[in-house]
Amino acid sequence: MFPALRAAALDAAAAGAHLLVCPEMVTTGYHIGETETRRLAEPADGPTSARLAELAVEAGLAITYGYPESADGNLYNSVQLVDATGARLAGYRKTHLFGDVDRDRFTPGAQAVVQADLNGFRVGMMICYDVEFPELVRAHALAGTELLLVPTALMSPYEIVADAVVPARAYENQLYVVYANRRDVEHELTYCGRSCVVAPTGAVLARAERDTTLITAEVDRATFRASRAENTHLTDRRPELYRETEGTNR
């Protein structure tokens, strides 16, 4: 089961990685239709969770993966984080649904900020379209997220998200962002790759371009602390000016 994912996990471990971040809906495919999505959906503690926990133990690293979750009679576009011991640390349900491909089958998640502690970092999770909403990323920064994991299924012609939006989110919120995309085709959707790891400085530490490949980058607390000391966006905020401004005509 999941031979490509297993190969990626073993390759990542061999490269010295402690965490593998996989794309959105990596276990089933994303644009596969409501009937197939419903058939393949599982609870958070279902067989896929058990298999990925075994893989995490086998490879000796944590894994973040996307899957269709069934719960309370609903379908959710979800991601889950398991650590190197196979323990489930956190699960997140996509809160901002993208177009009919999401809205026709999924219920939006109701919890904006989901976090876990992993290898000395406070880790947060979101999915694809979520990162295009600055309010959500800022909520993570204010809640203490230091490393933001974003499984995605970004398609052409929206490369600007990977190339410009993601580095801007990292810089303006002073956190690391890992953005993991696909590079293949499902029906009319062409996924554009461009996976990246971005530092709090906005520097792109690794970029996958357009090929299907494994990229690695090191995140460290010294860089994180130095960037936050130099770039004081969070402490210089004036939230009293931002309240109750939506819908205000000027």
Side-chain angles (χ1 to χ4, degrees), residues 1 20 28 34 38 47 76 92 104 112 141 162 167 183 186 195 204 208 213 215 234 245 249:
M1 186 184 291
L20 173 68
T28 60
E34 181 178 3
R38 192 171 294 277
Y76 298 95
Y92 170 78
D104 284 351
R183 182 65 183 104
E186 281 181 333
S195 297
V204 176
T213 187
I215 60 172
L234 298 180
T245 57
N249 293 319

Side-chain angles (χ1 to χ4, degrees), residues 4 10 15-16 26 28 39 55 75 82 90 98 123 139 148 181-182 194 207 217 225:
L10 295 177
V26 68
T28 60
R39 183 183 73 82
L55 178 57
L75 288 179
V82 297
F98 178 78
V123 173
L148 184 62
N181 194 24
R182 300 171 54 172
R194 311 291 294 157
R207 170 76 73 183
R225 288 192 296 266

Side-chain angles (χ1 to χ4, degrees), residues 1 31 64 91 176 207 210 227 242 248:
M1 186 184 291
H31 189 28
T64 301
Y176 283 99
R207 170 76 73 183
R210 291 185 174 272
S227 185
Y242 315 146
T248 300

Side-chain angles (χ1 to χ4, degrees), residues 233-244:
H233 300 94
L234 298 180
T235 55
D236 290 344
R237 293 170 63 251
R238 296 187 60 193
E240 73 278 5
L241 300 181
Y242 315 146
R243 298 189 182 100
E244 300 178 1

